């Protein structure tokens, strides 16, 4: 039976417009561990001064750093070193490297689609982390759309560099269960490999794909409470654990905490009483990162317009000049973005960080002009 990691305090916490506080993190992490989840994924660091520091520290206090894992963004060797410094400062023991493997994502985020460059970068990042004593999971971001002839050598290179586990990220929902089984089988055939699956639910198959991955030899499944997350959501924890109970007779987990987990998480996320996955919801094509708004084709299974939905910005406190510039483009409102962004950030802090969309940012810019 697979081990379970939960990404609510990382993937769901970075869903557009969702920001958990430290108190929410402590409660959610504690309930996850009581349920029997093996690892609580929390926060993201890319360098010093991480905005997720308080989430990470609160989770460590609640369940300990050995039951926690923090994502580290990989872009180049120098940036990785700074991110690892920050992870050490926060007392992190387990890290998960976010490394884009598809040609499209690698070109956007690493500046090169080269498979050789990708492998060299992974080897360097993994070696640095292992030298510092971290337990290292490395990812294949957009791995589901990465051809086998590109993905398998990358995974081999990562394990040769000393990585402990590989996570296939179905960043963009793309595979059927039978296709997933074939992809995972090619990875579990690698000597010494330990494989995890992380699926998104835009096509409604995240649980099915996760179980198919286990059938092919994956030893870990990543899920989130309620399936909350970007791009149609993630594999929902309750459905996953109840499926393991019913289909496989798996009684390792205490399911009595699941309803409370859902209640606390939805409240902390500000999503009301329920989260709906799939492509027709207001949050399905909502983003808070400029790269996602400027290159939506890299993150969408199908374009929002095809199903009558719209692409939107949703953000609370994670404002950047690039994000504000995107919101103002074409509005006819002209402000000094570098001056306006800190002004709006301060106003958000004073006002309790209400949800902002593109129209709200444009209206705030008019207020800034009049101030």
């Amino acid at each position: 039976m697979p081990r379970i990691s939960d990404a609510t305090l990382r993937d769901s916490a970075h869903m557009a417009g969702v920001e958990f506080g430290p108190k929410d993190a402590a409660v959610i992490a504690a309930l996850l561990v009581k349920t029997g989840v093996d690892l609580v994924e929390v926060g993201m660091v890319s360098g010093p001064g991480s905005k997720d520091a308080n989430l990470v520290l609160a989770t460590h206090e609640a369940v300990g750093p050995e039951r926690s894992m923090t994502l580290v963004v990989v872009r180049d060797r120098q940036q990785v070193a700074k991110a690892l410094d920050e992870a050490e400062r926060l007392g992190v023991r387990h890290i998960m490297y976010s490394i884009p493997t598809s040609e499209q994502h690698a070109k956007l985020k690493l500046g090169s689609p080269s498979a050789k460059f990708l492998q060299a970068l992974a080897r360097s990042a993994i070696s640095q982390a292992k030298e510092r004593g971290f337990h290292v999971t490395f990812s294949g971001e957009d791995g589901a759309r990465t051809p086998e002839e590109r993905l398998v050598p990358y995974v081999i290179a990562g394990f040769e560099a000393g990585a402990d586990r590989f996570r296939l990220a179905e960043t963009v929902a793309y595979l059927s269960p039978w296709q997933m089984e074939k992809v995972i089988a090619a990875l579990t055939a690698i000597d010494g490999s330990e494989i995890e699956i992380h699926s998104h639910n835009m096509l409604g198959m995240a649980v099915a794909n996760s179980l198919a991955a286990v059938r092919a030899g994956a030893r870990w499944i990543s899920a989130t409470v309620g399936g909350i997350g970007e791009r149609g959501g993630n594999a929902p924890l309750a459905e996953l654990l109840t499926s393991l109970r019913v289909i496989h007779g798996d009684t390792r987990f205490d399911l009595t905490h699941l309803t409370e987990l859902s209640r606390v998480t939805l409240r902390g996320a500000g999503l009301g009483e329920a989260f709906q996955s799939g492509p027709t919801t207001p949050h399905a094509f909502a983003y808070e990162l400029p790269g996602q708004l400027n290159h939506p084709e890299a993150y969408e299974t199908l374009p929002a317009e095809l199903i009558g939905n719209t692409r939107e910005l949703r953000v609370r406190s994670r404002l950047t000049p690039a994000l504000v510039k995107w919101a103002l483009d074409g509005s006819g409102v002209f402000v000094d973005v570098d001056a306006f962004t800190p002004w709006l950030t301060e106003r958000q802090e004073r006002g309790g960080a209400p949800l902002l969309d593109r129209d709200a940012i444009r209206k705030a810019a008019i207020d800034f002009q009049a101030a």
Side-chain angles (χ1 to χ4, degrees):
M1 289 292 97
R3 301 181 72 181
I4 307 296
S5 65
D6 183 275
T8 304
L9 296 173
R10 196 274 302 172
D11 203 313
S12 303
H14 291 92
M15 176 182 168
V18 174
E19 296 183 16
F20 291 105
K23 290 183 179 178
D24 292 320
V27 173
I28 291 168
L31 285 170
L32 286 169
V33 170
K34 287 181 180 178
T35 300
V37 166
D38 295 279
L39 206 56
V40 178
E41 189 178 342
V42 56
M44 178 189 305
V45 299
S46 57
S50 169
K51 289 186 177 181
D52 290 335
N54 289 336
L55 278 187
V56 173
L57 294 174
T59 302
H60 287 180
E61 186 172 349
V63 301
E66 295 302 329
R67 297 294 292 268
S68 308
M69 180 170 69
T70 296
L71 184 142
V72 173
V73 176
V74 172
R75 295 296 178 262
D76 58 58
R77 183 178 178 86
Q78 185 177 13
Q79 175 266 317
V80 166
K82 292 178 179 178
L84 293 178
D85 288 343
E86 177 73 351
E88 285 186 329
R89 183 184 74 82
L90 296 173
V92 173
R93 299 287 181 270
H94 295 255
I95 65 166
M96 200 280 284
Y97 275 136
S98 174
I99 308 177
T101 55
S102 69
E103 286 193 18
Q104 185 177 26
H105 274 244
K107 185 175 181 180
L108 280 174
K109 298 175 182 179
L110 304 179
S112 171
S114 166
K116 289 184 178 180
F117 175 75
L118 175 66
Q119 292 174 31
L121 181 62
R123 286 193 188 98
S124 173
I126 292 164
S127 297
Q128 286 185 73
K130 294 305 294 183
E131 287 169 2
R132 296 186 189 219
F134 288 104
H135 181 282
V136 179
T137 298
F138 70 113
S139 79
E141 185 184 347
D142 202 26
R145 295 194 300 182
T146 304
E148 183 177 321
E149 61 271 19
R150 179 182 174 92
L151 183 64
V152 170
Y154 164 78
V155 176
I156 291 172
F159 281 116
E160 287 177 347
D164 300 283
R165 182 161 69 250
F166 172 74
R167 171 185 285 182
L168 180 76
E170 196 181 15
T171 305
V172 178
Y174 183 71
L175 300 176
S176 65
W178 49 95
Q179 291 170 318
M180 178 65 75
E181 192 168 345
K182 181 176 182 294
V183 171
I184 294 295
L187 302 179
T188 56
I190 298 169
D191 287 344
S193 64
E194 181 172 297
I195 306 300
E196 178 173 359
I197 178 61
H198 174 88
S199 283
H200 281 257
N201 208 32
M202 187 69 87
L203 302 181
M205 293 190 288
V207 169
N209 280 351
S210 298
L211 295 178
V214 171
R215 180 181 171 91
R219 293 169 60 187
W220 286 79
I221 298 175
S222 170
T224 66
V225 177
I228 300 172
E230 302 175 281
R231 297 179 299 282
N234 296 84
L237 181 68
E239 286 87 328
L240 176 64
L241 297 187
T242 52
S243 293
L244 288 172
R245 174 73 67 96
V246 172
I247 296 169
H248 294 289
D250 187 352
T251 59
R252 292 174 298 159
F253 301 97
D254 184 350
L255 306 184
T256 63
H257 301 293
L258 291 175
T259 299
E260 176 68 3
L261 255 173
S262 180
R263 186 188 68 79
V264 170
T265 303
L266 287 165
R267 182 193 65 201
L271 293 171
E273 296 182 355
F275 174 79
Q276 181 182 344
S277 63
T280 61
T281 63
H283 49 255
F285 297 93
Y287 306 106
E288 66 176 19
L289 295 176
Q292 295 172 333
L293 291 161
N294 291 324
H295 302 282
E297 71 285 350
Y299 296 90
E300 296 176 358
T301 306
L302 297 168
E305 298 80 6
L306 185 66
I307 51 176
N309 208 335
T310 56
R311 194 171 296 111
E312 187 52 87
L313 178 158
R314 293 163 66 95
V315 64
R316 295 184 186 274
S317 69
R318 300 188 184 108
L319 288 159
T320 63
L323 195 64
V324 170
K325 182 179 184 302
W326 184 91
L328 296 180
D329 280 350
S331 68
V333 180
F334 301 99
V335 297
D336 181 341
V337 170
D338 290 331
F340 171 56
T341 303
W343 179 89
L344 181 56
T345 299
E346 183 180 348
R347 192 171 85 163
Q348 284 290 98
E349 291 174 353
R350 291 198 310 268
L355 186 65
L356 295 174
D357 58 14
R358 178 166 42 186
D359 290 340
I361 291 176
R362 291 176 173 182
K363 183 178 183 302
I366 296 172
D367 295 340
F368 175 73
Q369 289 176 325

